[in-house]
Amino acid sequence: KDLRPPVISLALSPGLGVFMAILVRMTIAGKSFIGGNMEIALAANLTASGVLGQDGAGTPRFSSRNCHIALVSAKTNLPSSMLPKVMSKFLDTTLQKVLPGLLCPAVDAVLNLVNAKFTTLTSEIPLGTAGTLQYALLNPPVTSETFIELDLKALLHQKEGKEVDLPTDQPSLASLPPKRDAATQLILSADFLSAELSVLQASFNLNIRITWWVLGLPPLVTTMLGALIPEISRVLPPSQPVVTEMQEAKAPVVTITPEKSFVQLFSTAEFWVSPSDSAPEFLFILDV
């Protein structure tokens, strides 16, 4: 009873994972060996390592190692005259044997909660209805004195299930921006962003029909097109409703530099006359 909140210190262990030092304070109550109730108020230091690796599915995973318990103090409610030194030594020895089995499983339980969070890393993420995105570890996790690095492989699938090819060349660590203190950084390559937009390519297709005043714009008719593009005014029919179909022509391209980033979307705009009493009539195509 009376289990107090633990005092937890964490530190990164280079090449290993996380080192944990936990001060545990609790009171154990039970029957005394001389009759009546006895309470033992104790403090113990628990140290353990959480080794960071990966499982067969390419998911980061912590496992505990080297769990040790050091008894800091143990006090009972029995008078000192009733607890001779030999019994005190027996009590300390017993606690040293009992506490690891009592406290070390708690370390495993906490690490399992963290591992459960990691499983979401490799779950499929829907990209709307266009496809899915999934991550897996490309290499085992790397732990340094100041950060943990996860090198991820992205798996992009179109809605038909076809995988999108991604460049396998990884940027060198020297080319990455400097790590900021006390921050988590997610670094995405331009190639990955281009591929992700290519999965969403069909989502950029539009069918635009403006037949009423919207956002201050008059209805879209052929005479308006003639005023905007004089070169085609001679071949346009008289004032008729116009439909514009925007179709992605090729995969988007993302370019990233230290100063600026660009996203280029390549489209065609097809213009059609859409009279109410006959089939649509094709006019022309613009590359956008």
Side-chain angles (χ1 to χ4, degrees):
K1 68 176 188 178
D2 189 26
L3 177 62
R4 301 182 186 181
V7 179
I8 303 173
S9 301
L10 299 176
L12 295 180
S13 298
L16 187 65
V18 178
F19 174 77
M20 298 169 280
I22 304 169
L23 175 62
V24 181
R25 290 168 294 181
M26 67 174 68
T27 300
I28 299 176
K31 295 292 183 181
S32 169
F33 53 87
I34 59 174
N37 295 324
M38 181 176 69
E39 292 186 352
I40 306 171
L42 62 88
N45 270 330
L46 182 155
T47 58
S49 294
V51 180
L52 183 58
Q54 68 181 45
D55 61 16
T59 305
R61 185 171 185 83
F62 275 113
S63 58
S64 63
R65 184 184 298 176
N66 301 329
C67 181
H68 296 289
I69 306 292
L71 190 62
V72 177
S73 65
K75 299 179 180 179
T76 73
N77 61 341
L78 298 177
S80 58
S81 59
M82 298 177 61
L83 199 65
K85 287 184 178 181
V86 63
M87 293 306 297
S88 295
K89 186 175 181 181
F90 169 76
L91 181 62
D92 290 350
T93 303
T94 302
L95 288 174
Q96 290 282 13
K97 293 178 180 178
V98 170
L99 288 177
L102 183 67
L103 298 178
C104 287
V107 176
D108 293 326
V110 172
L111 292 182
N112 285 337
L113 291 174
V114 177
N115 290 334
K117 297 286 186 182
F118 276 139
T119 58
T120 61
L121 180 70
T122 55
S123 58
E124 281 195 341
I125 305 165
L127 300 175
T129 59
T132 60
L133 168 64
Q134 194 171 9
Y135 291 107
L137 279 177
L138 189 62
N139 299 304
V142 176
T143 306
S144 72
E145 293 181 353
T146 55
F147 63 88
I148 294 174
E149 180 186 334
L150 301 180
D151 193 6
L152 301 176
K153 176 183 180 182
L155 303 172
L156 280 170
H157 288 91
Q158 298 172 342
K159 63 180 179 181
E160 299 85 5
K162 181 181 178 182
E163 185 173 341
V164 179
D165 290 332
L166 285 171
T168 55
D169 295 338
Q170 297 297 308
S172 65
L173 288 178
S175 67
L176 299 180
K179 173 75 175 69
R180 298 195 309 272
D181 290 338
T184 297
Q185 289 178 267
L186 176 63
I187 300 170
L188 302 174
S189 70
D191 290 331
F192 165 73
L193 294 173
S194 294
E196 188 171 21
L197 286 175
S198 72
V199 172
L200 297 169
Q201 192 171 335
S203 303
F204 300 125
N205 296 336
L206 299 173
N207 190 322
I208 305 169
R209 180 194 300 265
I210 301 179
T211 56
W212 64 93
W213 286 79
V214 58
L215 299 177
L217 296 174
L220 184 61
V221 294
T222 51
T223 50
M224 284 183 59
L225 288 178
L228 292 171
I229 312 174
E231 290 82 359
I232 63 171
S233 59
R234 301 186 305 274
V235 298
L236 290 175
S239 183
Q240 295 284 338
V242 172
V243 173
T244 307
E245 294 183 359
M246 302 286 291
Q247 303 288 329
E248 287 302 299
K250 59 181 180 178
V253 174
V254 177
T255 305
I256 299 177
T257 68
E259 294 80 21
K260 293 181 180 180
S261 298
F262 301 91
V263 178
Q264 293 175 281
L265 304 176
F266 305 94
S267 303
T268 58
E270 296 187 8
F271 290 84
W272 299 73
V273 175
S274 181
S276 58
D277 56 350
S278 60
E281 177 187 346
F282 174 74
L283 291 177
F284 58 92
I285 295 179
L286 288 181
D287 290 325
V288 182

